[in-house]
Amino acid sequence: MQQRTIGSGPTSTDVSVLCLGTMHFGTHTPRETAFEVLDRFVDAGGTFLDTANNYSAWAEGGQGHESEDVIGAWLASRGLRDRVRIATKCGAAKKDPALPLSSTPPTNYQGLAAETIHREAATSLRHLGVDRLDVLYGHVDDRDTALEETVGAFGKLVADGVVGVPGISNVTTWRVVEARETAARLGVEPYGLVQQQGSYVYPGPTPFRSNWVSGDLLDYAASTGVDGRPPLAVTVYSPLHQGAFTRADKSLFGGADHPSSRRRVEVLREVARDAGATPNQVALAWLLGGPTPVIPIVGAHSVAQLDESLGALDLVLDDELRTRLDEA
């Protein structure tokens, strides 16, 4: 599997071009199955794992940290810490576990105050059983906390060797730019990763949408990696729309269920038939080979599901197929 570099300077690291999402490990996906999926991913050359400090608190019996605990147990049993890069997140878990999660007033989520970031980083280290987080994202942008405080806290963790690459998720592009400019003023490591929802289909237009990849974000990311503008990579979650590209019982979600997207899914399936591939493989190949390549985060409840996604790595969309997909 090909690798690409994320971050800048001494804290940069190489990760696989596909990232394994582990949200359901330890809840919907039993530990034994999760171990099988992790083993297969590493055997295929995968090196990038994605989790969070609240995966999966909403599942039956879930408390949060189940995914981190499974990864930690797998690392301890396999001795592969040096082979993988682990990204986790903080800030979106409930502040008060007894109340409903809410990011709107009255809010009930952790947010990205410095105290929270430092506390949750230490907690994730403990659950994962590691002494360094290769990537730590702010899970949801926190506009109630000054950027100087949030960016400074991430920067300190990098300077202390606790975090390799800081990142942010579910955020507007202007906030990414402002945060990176703030990091430059403070003299700390800037966000090197942004994680957004992204796939072959798009949401309908609506003001102030903050959780989807935008053209502006991809354009900005493409402009980085030059003097005075440290590199910025984009990771995308839900690239396969939770099975909606292949299953009639699954609907597009997150604002993407509209006529234009449904037409794109029809074209996606047509191209897949012509390419001798599955719609999921075509969707991933389209993301991987775009003008601004992103890193798709693929979940898998079984080795068979993972193998389907891995098949996208060998799929090259020729100009005619990509044009059909782009113009749908």
Side-chain angles (χ1 to χ4, degrees):
M1 193 182 304
Q2 290 183 330
Q3 308 284 307
R4 63 176 293 185
T5 302
I6 58 171
S8 58
T11 63
S12 64
T13 190
D14 289 343
V15 298
S16 53
V17 295
L18 277 184
C19 179
L20 180 63
T22 67
M23 177 187 290
H24 299 299
F25 286 4
T27 49
H28 293 304
T29 304
R31 177 173 293 204
E32 180 180 353
T33 303
F35 276 31
E36 293 172 354
V37 171
L38 286 162
D39 288 342
R40 173 68 181 119
F41 184 67
V42 172
D43 286 345
T47 62
F48 200 12
L49 309 179
D50 183 85
T51 186
N53 71 344
N54 64 338
Y55 289 168
S56 289
W58 53 88
E60 184 177 354
Q63 303 296 317
H65 293 293
E66 283 87 1
S67 173
E68 290 182 336
D69 288 339
V70 167
I71 293 172
W74 175 78
L75 287 172
S77 69
R78 302 299 194 261
L80 294 175
R81 177 64 184 100
D82 292 340
R83 296 261 307 269
V84 296
R85 302 293 175 259
I86 301 168
T88 193
K89 312 177 195 73
C90 66
K94 293 180 181 180
K95 183 179 290 186
D96 184 345
L99 297 175
L101 181 69
S102 176
S103 60
T104 58
T107 62
N108 185 38
Y109 77 114
Q110 290 177 332
L112 297 175
E115 179 184 2
T116 301
I117 293 169
H118 286 283
R119 181 188 69 239
E120 294 304 316
T123 302
S124 287
L125 287 171
R126 194 163 61 249
H127 281 273
L128 289 162
V130 298
D131 58 9
R132 172 186 166 96
L133 303 172
D134 300 300
V135 176
L136 179 63
Y137 294 98
H139 206 157
V140 178
D141 188 25
D142 178 6
R143 297 195 182 189
D144 293 328
T145 301
L147 275 174
E148 287 78 4
E149 179 176 350
T150 297
V151 170
F154 279 109
K156 186 174 190 313
L157 288 174
V158 173
D160 291 345
V162 176
V163 169
V165 181
I168 188 67
S169 181
N170 300 302
V171 62
T172 57
T173 302
W174 74 266
R175 288 278 291 177
V176 176
V177 175
E178 190 163 301
R180 282 164 54 91
E181 290 177 347
T182 299
R185 290 196 300 271
L186 295 177
V188 300
E189 189 70 18
Y191 292 148
L193 280 171
V194 176
Q195 184 177 131
Q196 301 285 90
Q197 185 174 347
S199 72
Y200 174 62
V201 297
Y202 299 97
T206 186
F208 313 122
R209 190 184 296 278
S210 62
N211 63 320
W212 277 80
V213 168
S214 67
D216 282 346
L217 176 61
L218 294 178
D219 189 32
Y220 175 65
S223 76
T224 65
V226 297
D227 288 345
R229 188 171 291 181
L232 178 71
V234 178
T235 60
V236 296
Y237 63 89
S238 298
L240 304 179
H241 257 259
Q242 299 178 358
F245 296 156
T246 58
R247 291 174 52 179
D249 63 326
K250 290 279 190 175
S251 299
L252 300 172
F253 65 95
D257 192 7
H258 54 79
S260 294
S261 282
R262 289 193 288 273
R263 173 56 185 156
R264 283 176 76 85
V265 173
E266 291 176 5
V267 173
L268 178 69
R269 292 168 178 168
E270 293 167 2
V271 168
R273 286 194 295 269
D274 292 346
T278 69
N280 286 339
Q281 290 168 341
V282 172
L284 291 173
W286 182 82
L287 288 168
L288 290 165
T292 305
V294 300
I295 300 173
I297 301 168
V298 293
H301 291 291
S302 66
V303 171
Q305 286 184 350
L306 176 61
D307 281 342
E308 181 188 11
S309 293
L310 292 172
L313 298 169
D314 297 321
L315 178 60
V316 178
L317 299 172
D318 62 31
D319 291 344
E320 187 269 334
L321 293 178
R322 182 167 287 277
T323 297
R324 285 168 59 187
L325 292 165
D326 290 344
E327 294 182 351

